């Protein structure tokens, strides 16, 4: 998270890739780092990988991926992700999620 916050996204990814075990916090930190630094495609790809590897996204994870969609104008993708929060993951959207949707539009 420190590398990503400093904008050293390549180093952040290297540390992430070298982790023995990843949890929702580590996945979300890397997704958020990508989203904050304009690497939306990478953020969304990592979100997909996270789920494929069996990690469950949380509320913060969804804020990060919705933000990634907003940065690149992926309106349809953002809407699908927003809908999947409650439908597929049982997460009730909060004000932060709705704010991301407003930004997306």
């Amino acid at each position: 998270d420190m590398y990503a916050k400093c904008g050293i996204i390549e180093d952040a990814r290297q540390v992430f890739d070298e982790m023995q075990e990843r949890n929702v916090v580590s996945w979300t930190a890397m997704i958020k780092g990508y989203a904050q630094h304009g690497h939306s495609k990478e953020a969304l790809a990592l979100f997909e990988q996270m789920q494929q590897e069996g990690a469950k996204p949380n509320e913060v994870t969804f804020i990060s991926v919705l933000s990634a969609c907003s940065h690149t104008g992926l309106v349809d993708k953002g809407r699908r992700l927003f809908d999947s929060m409650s439908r597929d993951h049982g997460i009730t959207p909060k004000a932060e999620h709705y704010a991301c949707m407003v930004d997306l539009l």
Side-chain angles (χ1 to χ4, degrees), residues 53-70:
E53 292 189 19
K56 305 280 186 219
N58 65 17
E59 296 171 359
V60 179
T61 312
F62 274 99
I63 292 169
S64 298
V65 294
L66 291 172
S67 176
C69 290
S70 176

Side-chain angles (χ1 to χ4, degrees), residues 81-93:
L81 287 167
F82 183 83
D83 291 341
S84 78
M85 281 178 57
S86 56
R87 183 187 64 234
D88 302 330
H89 301 281
I91 298 171
T92 303

Side-chain angles (χ1 to χ4, degrees), residues 20 40 42 57 69 100:
Q20 294 285 331
S40 297
E42 291 86 348
C69 290
C100 288

Side-chain angles (χ1 to χ4, degrees), residues 18-36:
E18 292 173 358
M19 294 177 79
Q20 294 285 331
E21 293 183 33
R22 299 179 189 131
N23 60 24
V24 68
V25 174
S26 55
W27 283 102
T28 301
M30 192 67 237
I31 291 167
K32 181 180 176 186
Y34 275 136
Q36 286 180 328

Side-chain angles (χ1 to χ4, degrees), residues 31-48:
I31 291 167
K32 181 180 176 186
Y34 275 136
Q36 286 180 328
H37 293 286
H39 301 280
S40 297
K41 288 182 182 181
E42 291 86 348
L44 294 169
L46 196 60
F47 178 70
E48 295 298 324

